[in-house]
Amino acid sequence: MERIDQLLKAKIPCEETGITIKHTICDICSPSFHCGVDAYVKDGTVIKIEGTKGHPMNDGLLCTKGLSNRQYIYRKDRIRTPLKRIGKRGEGNFEPITWDEAYKICAERLLGWKEKEGADRVLFFGGYTKWFRPWLHRFAFSFGTENYATESSTCYTSGLMAWEIATGKPAKGDMAHCGVFLGWAFNPYHSRYLGGKKADEAKKRGVKFIIVDPRVTPAVEKLADIHLRPRGGTDGALALGMANILIQNGWIDKEYIDRYVHGFDAFARYAAGFHEGNLEALTGVPYEQAVEACRMIHECGPMAINESSAPLAHHRNGMQNYRAIMALSAITGNYDRVGGQQPADHTYIHQCSGFLTREKEFLEAVRPAGAKKPVGAERFPLWYALEGEAQATDMARQILEEKPYPIRALFALGLNLRMLPDTEQVVKALEKLDFFVDTDLFLTDAAKYADIVLPACSSFERGEFKTYPGGYAVYTNPVIEPLGEAKSDAQILCELAGVMGLEDDLLKSGYEDSIRYMIQDLSVTVEELKANPLPTLVPERTPYKAGGYVRQGLCTKSGKFELDSCLIKEHPEWGLDSLPTYREPLSQAGEALYPFTLCAGARIPNAIHSRLHEVPWVRSLRPYPTADIAEEDAAKLGICDGDPIEIFTDRGSIHVKAHPTARVLPGMVHMYHGYREANVNGLLNGDHLDPYSGFPAYRSSRCGIRKEGSTDEADS
Ligand SMILES: Nc1nc2c(c(=O)[nH]1)N[C@H]1C(S)=C(S)[C@@H](COP(=O)(O)OP(=O)(O)OC[C@H]3O[C@@H](n4cnc5c(=O)[nH]c(N)nc54)[C@H](O)[C@@H]3O)O[C@H]1N2
Ligand SMILES: Nc1nc2c(c(=O)[nH]1)N[C@H]1C(S)=C(S)[C@@H](COP(=O)(O)OP(=O)(O)OC[C@H]3O[C@@H](n4cnc5c(=O)[nH]c(N)nc54)[C@H](O)[C@@H]3O)O[C@H]1N2
Ligand SMILES: [Mo]
């Protein structure tokens, strides 16, 4: 045994031990990370993993989640064959069938609805795994519909939309060269450990940090020179107040504004409504502290801002709040400069890697003419105008109400029942469908509602193209055979396209040929990428050129950074504001019964959505679904650490353990999502949505709490 350990340490593949070390990536987080993994394989089984040294992303490191890969890929509930439902929906009774049978049933049912009522009756959905998206999207298009929705209906896209409105492109904060970092909703130590490492380095270099977070987090403790603690979802008011302070004090870049910013005067007039007299009442942040933060922005620039993918967006005014925050970058002249906010095109699946692929062309070449507007397009017109796809938060409603038209079938890859708000409504919708296919690694609760379940394989079992910031691309090789009869999602889609006879030769030619198509403008080939176990630097990468984009004229209607959106102004029928206006996160209704604000979803290091709750190693780090509440609130309600408590809303209640802590603001309850036995999304209202983006207000709902066994209502 000792000898094997030595050999493992020395990384010597040895005939005696029969162990080989192969390189792959961890797909537990998605999509930007995908850390390099060394898999130690013996007799076709992964027996140990380590981070890959020299990998440009993680250079040997892995987080708690990544280190649990072995238990994740060998989870007991892995599906090993295609399954056909023989019991009632949701019961979980299935019989194994062959791939041929499964494909035949899918083809008949999907084509059946297409012939009977049209291709738009089928909705295609992809969960948090993003790697298969171009193929699922192209499949939907070639099938004849724009009804393609993903989990990005609740993640990141809201911020992306805000950038698109303002500048026509995504943007990233240049932490490596900034003087002050505005870490708005920034706690990478729990959500992006590699980002945490970069923040540590910046801190050592002397970068000033302003952290804006209702909680006291590791980022606050390790980094913050100033910690602003707004109540959740009041960020728009705080940002507008800060804009006003910057403007009043002349801490802005007038010349830059005159040249490159559109709508400044209207914005300044609106921001003037957020001032010394109301800022603290609106946000909870003392005015003087906001002034100090603005002074720091003025004195210590350039300023980079955290690009938040979730907590800012998860409020009913989320996208507008985001716009107000990025306005700070424009008025201080920090957009498109070294150490500021830098425009960057997406290379491939939401990653800005510094070179272009033909991902967009891969899709647009087959966009169906004459397709009906997809799910959610009517209700969230700005979403549709900017994203051109279905908004998943409207999926259950449309299935149930059949308005503007019915959805008969759902073809899903990785649908998690507990991702969207109002689980009961989602379940009702799944029950109503005529035909539902789910593809997953595991027999999840959502899969139990499916007619056909298809077994997907993990990143260890497939070859996958991926790009990284800094100009890198990689094409992994499988390190083990797929478990049972599992296949890669892309392979499933390409094969099903063949069985269904879709007129799409490129899709039918398979994943690898599609990648060849998408990287045809690059001088690296699939073969070269596959032969390199580490990511390859792509020669076509182009370095960032400061100021190039603003000087050339932005891809917005005005050609400038739009504080006042021309696009929104052109569409009064949308009923949306062209300025980044502010609205309170919660209405007063229900305050007496539900006096607390529920923030559902701040990341915990050992869980990722629904994926890891069933994985013993990571689960053991926080074994029980636990809610963080303020010590003051706990004391008032007689709640001690570890006490069972009930969190309740007008939708129902869940039972969890209490964790009173000084880290959270009084009046707030923080609870992570995805637990089967304590599903916080079941408590949320499916109509509490941001009208601009369609995003759910996961992070601000009214709730009550009480100690189990107590009969008192929680009136604090
Ligand atoms: N361990 C782990 N890592 C993850 C994930 C996971 O589930 N687990 N999920 C991945 C995904 S899909 C995403 S989108 C990212 C999200 O990544 P992050 O945005 O970093 O995630 P959060 O931890 O939700 O939010 C960051 C901080 O925002 C604060 N916050 C919450 N609400 C508000 C608010 O209204 N205003 C302000 N100013 N701050 C607020 C929280 O207290 C938290 O400290 O994480 C990714 N990484
Ligand atoms: N309350 C609350 N809800 C939230 C959030 C929150 O902050 N609070 N965050 C939202 C955000 S930001 C996000 S990104 C979403 C997360 O979105 P979800 O889609 O809920 O994420 P997961 O649970 O990680 O994954 C979905 C499913 O994909 C399966 N899967 C994993 N790998 C593969 C694969 O390679 N192929 C296939 N076919 N399936 C696979 C998993 O087993 C799982 O069943 O949740 C959103 N929901
Ligand atoms: Mo996300």
Side-chain angles (χ1 to χ4, degrees):
M1 193 61 209
E2 197 182 313
R3 195 171 140 65
I4 292 177
D5 271 351
Q6 277 168 8
L7 287 168
L8 287 176
K9 251 195 197 140
K11 293 211 174 182
I12 303 169
C14 170
E15 273 168 28
E16 217 173 307
T17 58
I19 298 166
T20 47
I21 301 169
K22 298 180 175 183
H23 299 286
T24 184
I25 52 180
C26 166
D27 185 38
I28 288 177
C29 288
S30 186
S32 36
F33 308 99
H34 288 179
C35 295
V37 168
D38 289 351
Y40 290 72
V41 181
K42 185 172 160 70
D43 301 330
T45 304
V46 179
I47 57 161
K48 178 186 164 77
I49 62 156
E50 280 176 352
T52 303
K53 292 234 166 67
H55 192 284
M57 281 302 280
N58 58 322
D59 191 20
L61 294 174
L62 280 180
C63 70
T64 38
K65 300 182 277 35
L67 285 166
S68 74
N69 254 298
R70 217 151 54 76
Q71 285 200 340
Y72 175 73
I73 62 175
Y74 294 119
R75 246 173 75 172
K76 284 199 200 72
D77 56 347
R78 274 293 298 264
I79 312 164
R80 287 164 190 265
T81 66
L83 300 171
K84 183 177 159 188
R85 185 165 54 79
I86 46 175
K88 279 209 232 129
R89 291 216 153 146
E91 250 177 24
N93 285 330
F94 291 91
E95 64 179 15
I97 53 171
T98 64
W99 276 104
D100 284 348
E101 282 174 274
Y103 284 150
K104 194 161 162 277
I105 296 170
C106 292
E108 275 172 14
R109 302 293 292 276
L110 300 179
L111 290 172
W113 278 116
K114 179 175 171 169
E115 273 154 36
K116 236 187 292 174
E117 296 188 7
D120 306 300
R121 296 297 195 259
V122 181
L123 174 65
F124 294 85
F125 175 87
Y128 178 54
T129 309
K130 295 182 168 83
W131 87 281
F132 52 66
R133 288 206 179 159
W135 289 266
L136 182 64
H137 206 165
R138 181 155 173 142
F139 190 106
F141 278 178
S142 286
F143 180 74
T145 180
E146 281 192 5
N147 264 326
Y148 160 84
T150 72
E151 134 287 345
S152 294
S153 292
T154 69
C155 175
Y156 174 58
T157 323
S158 169
L160 179 62
M161 286 169 71
W163 277 117
E164 285 176 54
I165 289 169
T167 70
K169 268 191 194 197
K172 293 235 177 273
D174 179 15
M175 186 191 266
H177 303 100
C178 68
V180 54
F181 189 79
L182 184 53
W184 212 300
F186 181 69
N187 182 31
Y189 301 101
H190 287 180
S191 62
R192 273 174 281 152
Y193 76 106
L194 296 169
K197 220 175 134 233
K198 287 198 182 121
D200 293 342
E201 286 158 14
K203 183 79 189 166
K204 266 198 219 130
R205 266 201 337 271
V207 169
K208 298 283 183 200
F209 278 84
I210 302 165
I211 304 290
V212 190
D213 196 314
R215 299 189 306 161
V216 180
T217 63
V220 171
E221 290 163 324
K222 290 171 117 184
L223 306 170
D225 294 286
I226 296 179
H227 178 201
L228 305 179
R229 268 187 111 174
R231 284 190 296 277
T234 64
D235 304 272
L238 179 58
L240 289 160
M242 287 171 68
N244 192 28
I245 293 167
L246 291 165
I247 295 167
Q248 297 305 323
N249 287 285
W251 294 337
I252 54 173
D253 189 335
K254 201 73 184 71
E255 203 179 313
Y256 180 97
I257 293 169
D258 289 344
R259 263 199 214 159
Y260 303 126
V261 178
H262 172 83
F264 175 75
D265 292 342
F267 172 77
R269 274 196 301 279
Y270 182 72
F274 300 81
H275 47 67
E276 190 167 4
N278 63 9
L279 195 68
E280 184 164 359
L282 284 170
T283 65
V285 175
Y287 185 75
E288 269 318 308
Q289 242 193 341
V291 174
E292 277 320 297
C294 291
R295 191 189 310 279
M296 188 175 272
I297 291 171
H298 177 61
E299 289 175 356
C300 304
M303 169 183 66
I305 309 179
N306 174 49
E307 177 217 22
S308 155
S309 52
L312 290 177
H314 290 170
H315 302 279
R316 67 176 182 178
N317 203 49
M319 203 207 75
Q320 290 286 77
N321 290 352
Y322 203 81
R323 285 181 67 203
I325 293 166
M326 51 190 69
L328 301 176
S329 175
I331 63 175
T332 53
N334 277 301
Y335 177 73
D336 198 8
R337 72 181 277 191
V338 172
Q341 228 60 21
Q342 299 181 346
D345 287 308
H346 280 165
T347 299
Y348 177 70
I349 313 187
H350 292 319
Q351 185 69 266
C352 302
S353 305
F355 58 95
L356 290 176
T357 62
R358 291 205 184 183
E359 184 190 16
K360 220 184 205 157
E361 292 85 341
F362 181 70
L363 296 174
E364 292 305 326
V366 291
R367 187 179 279 274
K372 278 199 164 63
K373 279 191 184 173
V375 166
E378 274 192 7
R379 195 168 167 201
F380 305 108
L382 180 62
W383 162 275
Y384 179 62
L386 293 175
E387 301 311 312
E389 61 187 54
Q391 177 31 292
T393 55
D394 206 30
M395 169 171 81
R397 185 209 58 78
Q398 182 157 342
I399 294 170
L400 292 169
E401 291 177 12
E402 305 195 354
K403 283 185 189 126
Y405 55 88
I407 296 294
R408 308 292 187 191
L410 174 62
F411 186 93
L413 303 179
L415 178 80
N416 162 25
L417 205 56
R418 290 176 275 273
M419 170 200 139
L420 292 164
D422 197 348
T423 314
E424 201 182 317
Q425 194 196 28
V426 176
V427 166
K428 277 192 194 139
L430 294 182
E431 280 173 335
K432 186 175 172 192
L433 289 166
D434 175 67
F435 185 59
F436 170 30
V437 184
D438 196 18
T439 305
D440 206 300
L441 274 74
F442 314 108
L443 192 59
T444 63
D445 288 342
K448 289 177 185 161
Y449 287 85
D451 298 282
I452 299 290
V453 181
L454 303 175
C457 68
S458 71
S459 58
F460 283 55
E461 299 148 65
R462 66 185 182 231
E464 179 178 338
F465 174 73
K466 161 132 196 84
T467 71
Y468 292 103
Y472 290 96
V474 72
Y475 198 127
T476 62
N477 296 293
V479 300
I480 50 169
E481 291 290 316
L483 265 62
E485 293 173 27
K487 295 187 185 199
S488 92
D489 300 275
Q491 186 185 352
I492 294 170
L493 290 163
C494 298
E495 288 177 359
L496 183 58
V499 175
M500 285 172 65
L502 298 188
E503 284 175 20
D504 186 337
D505 289 340
L506 183 53
L507 186 62
K508 287 189 284 194
S509 71
Y511 178 77
E512 197 168 305
D513 276 354
S514 308
I515 295 296
R516 273 184 229 287
Y517 167 88
M518 282 190 257
I519 67 168
Q520 62 184 283
D521 303 325
L522 308 181
S523 49
V524 287
T525 62
V526 164
E527 285 66 30
E528 283 161 357
L529 291 174
K530 275 188 173 178
N532 186 359
L534 285 172
T536 303
L537 264 177
V538 173
E540 286 73 21
R541 67 191 184 278
T542 46
Y544 167 70
K545 281 200 196 75
Y549 187 46
V550 283
R551 278 197 299 273
Q552 155 216 315
L554 273 57
C555 304
T556 53
K557 304 239 169 195
S558 63
K560 294 184 174 187
F561 191 118
E562 295 195 358
L563 295 178
D564 195 6
S565 164
C566 297
L567 173 73
I568 298 178
K569 242 189 189 140
E570 273 175 18
H571 291 278
E573 76 281 8
W574 290 350
L576 303 174
D577 297 333
S578 59
L579 285 169
T581 48
Y582 176 66
R583 199 160 63 116
E584 289 276 324
L586 291 168
S587 52
Q588 301 305 313
E591 197 175 0
L593 273 180
Y594 310 108
F596 287 88
T597 302
L598 175 60
C599 173
R603 299 331 186 209
I604 55 175
N606 61 311
I608 196 145
H609 310 301
S610 69
R611 284 178 196 206
L612 295 177
H613 293 319
E614 321 284 326
V615 171
W617 282 348
V618 264
R619 183 65 185 255
S620 70
L621 299 172
R622 202 186 206 204
Y624 305 102
T626 302
D628 290 348
I629 56 174
E631 284 172 343
E632 298 90 316
D633 293 330
K636 274 187 215 157
L637 297 168
I639 295 169
C640 298
D641 195 19
D643 276 354
I645 59 166
E646 190 179 2
I647 307 176
F648 57 94
T649 69
D650 55 355
R651 313 260 134 175
S653 66
I654 57 171
H655 304 271
V656 303
K657 280 191 187 294
H659 177 54
T661 165
R663 290 180 180 276
V664 313
L665 281 176
M668 290 208 62
V669 178
H670 288 261
M671 175 67 208
Y672 193 69
H673 54 290
Y675 291 100
R676 180 177 274 155
E677 69 275 39
N679 169 27
V680 73
N681 285 22
L683 303 184
L684 307 179
N685 181 337
D687 284 327
H688 191 37
L689 304 171
D690 178 344
Y692 290 76
S693 62
F695 272 46
Y698 293 123
R699 311 290 179 112
S700 45
S701 295
R702 290 203 177 284
C703 77
I705 53 172
R706 63 184 149 231
K707 193 171 163 174
E708 291 286 357
S710 90
T711 48
D712 301 341
E713 291 289 294
D715 51 342
S716 53

